[in-house]
Amino acid sequence: MGHLGNASAPAAYDRIGVGYRRIRRPDPRLDALIGSALRGARTVVNVGAGAGSYEPAGAEVTAVDPSQVMLDQHPGRRKVKASASRLPFADGSFDAAMAVLTVHHWPDPHQGLAELRRVARRQVVFTWDPAHRPQLWMTEDYLPEIRALEESRFTPLAEVVEALDAHTVLPFRIPYDFTDGFQVAYWRRPELYLDPAVRQASSTFATLSPEVVEPAIERLRADLASGEWHRRNADLLDRESVDYGYRLVVAGERPTAG
């Protein structure tokens, strides 16, 4: 999931994509939400497909990604190395187009979203709203550089909705035991951020320099050891899920009933 971007994005995922599937395991609750939005689609193009997370079972899926490392991890048979801004398909080629945490990597998000509308009759886009609050404690207390980076590259939710002429926007609260290790996955399991392999599977951590990340991680390590993190975040410790601004945007043909 998530890798059609500027000129450096394919190279970045060629580097960080190694071992990606071990950390980024599709979560069944997000899978159910995306699957419901794709219900009835027989042919699907997954733009920024990565390793193939959240693709609907039973559909004929074509995976598109600019990173060969990511495509090599994709289990499907139909794989195309291409950019979101220039999808090599005829108008209306698919019942649905899906894009999961990838629009922020595209060099021209509006062109990419227009391409989704061109090649498919339904569009299903999972993204993050940079205007949403609260944000993860990691950005508040340890790495404000993450917030600056994310807010600079994520297209505002309202613009995604407008570009797709979307009819549905569904919130997705991140469960405390979320299995897909993107940036906010470990909001109630802070010790996992100490694992370099976990950080490497997140494009945000991997984009920031070690000189920025490592001192912040050492502060987190110290706060966990002293109990300061638990005191500061006591309100999170008994919560089952938190809304951190992740949204599923659905446009075009509506899912079939059933």
Side-chain angles (χ1 to χ4, degrees):
M1 60 198 271
H3 332 290
L4 288 166
N6 52 39
S8 64
Y13 272 94
D14 285 346
R15 183 182 75 255
I16 75 172
V18 178
Y20 183 90
R21 292 185 74 183
R22 182 175 66 85
I23 303 296
R24 301 295 292 270
R25 291 177 292 117
D27 187 273
R29 293 151 292 195
L30 180 54
D31 188 58
L33 183 70
I34 294 173
S36 179
L38 289 167
R39 192 172 52 232
R42 292 168 297 176
T43 58
V44 176
V45 59
N46 186 5
V47 180
S53 298
Y54 306 110
E55 293 175 351
E60 178 184 296
V61 178
T62 299
V64 176
D65 202 287
S67 167
Q68 192 61 51
V69 169
M70 299 309 298
L71 285 177
D72 287 347
Q73 296 185 65
H74 192 286
R77 292 183 295 109
R78 298 176 181 84
K79 298 187 276 192
V80 178
K81 189 175 180 180
S83 164
S85 300
R86 293 186 178 181
L87 296 177
F89 310 111
D91 296 359
S93 293
F94 302 93
D95 293 334
M98 63 184 291
V100 178
L101 287 184
T102 178
V103 174
H104 59 292
H105 289 302
W106 299 354
D108 186 340
H110 289 83
Q111 175 62 26
L113 294 169
E115 281 287 270
L116 299 190
R117 296 183 73 179
R118 181 184 66 80
V119 303
R121 291 177 287 282
R122 186 191 316 169
Q123 299 80 39
V124 176
V125 174
F126 185 63
T127 189
W128 175 71
D129 181 8
H132 182 84
R133 298 294 183 273
Q135 293 194 2
L136 180 67
W137 50 263
M138 178 67 77
T139 68
E140 301 288 344
D141 300 331
Y142 299 96
L143 278 170
E145 295 86 355
I146 286 181
R147 180 193 297 171
L149 175 62
E150 297 288 63
E151 291 183 353
S152 72
R153 64 181 187 164
F154 269 89
T155 303
L157 180 66
E159 290 186 26
V160 175
V161 170
E162 182 179 10
L164 291 173
D165 191 22
H167 52 71
T168 304
V169 179
L170 300 171
F172 180 75
R173 297 174 64 87
I174 305 297
Y176 77 94
D177 56 351
F178 195 59
T179 66
D180 191 345
F182 58 78
Q183 183 188 298
V184 304
Y186 310 112
W187 60 267
R188 213 180 91 178
R189 296 170 289 169
E191 65 283 352
L192 291 175
Y193 290 109
L194 304 179
D195 184 345
V198 166
R199 299 196 303 273
Q200 187 72 7
S202 165
S203 67
T204 307
F205 280 108
T207 299
L208 294 173
S209 72
E211 291 77 15
V212 170
V213 173
E214 289 174 8
I217 295 302
E218 288 309 307
R219 290 196 300 275
L220 173 59
R221 189 187 307 276
D223 285 351
L224 289 171
S226 70
E228 175 60 26
W229 183 91
H230 293 82
R231 286 190 291 273
R232 188 186 301 135
N233 295 284
D235 63 312
L236 295 177
L237 299 180
D238 60 355
R239 298 183 69 174
E240 297 293 312
S241 64
V242 176
D243 181 1
Y244 279 121
Y246 288 84
R247 298 292 183 265
L248 188 69
V249 181
V250 187
E253 283 187 353
R254 293 177 182 267
T256 58

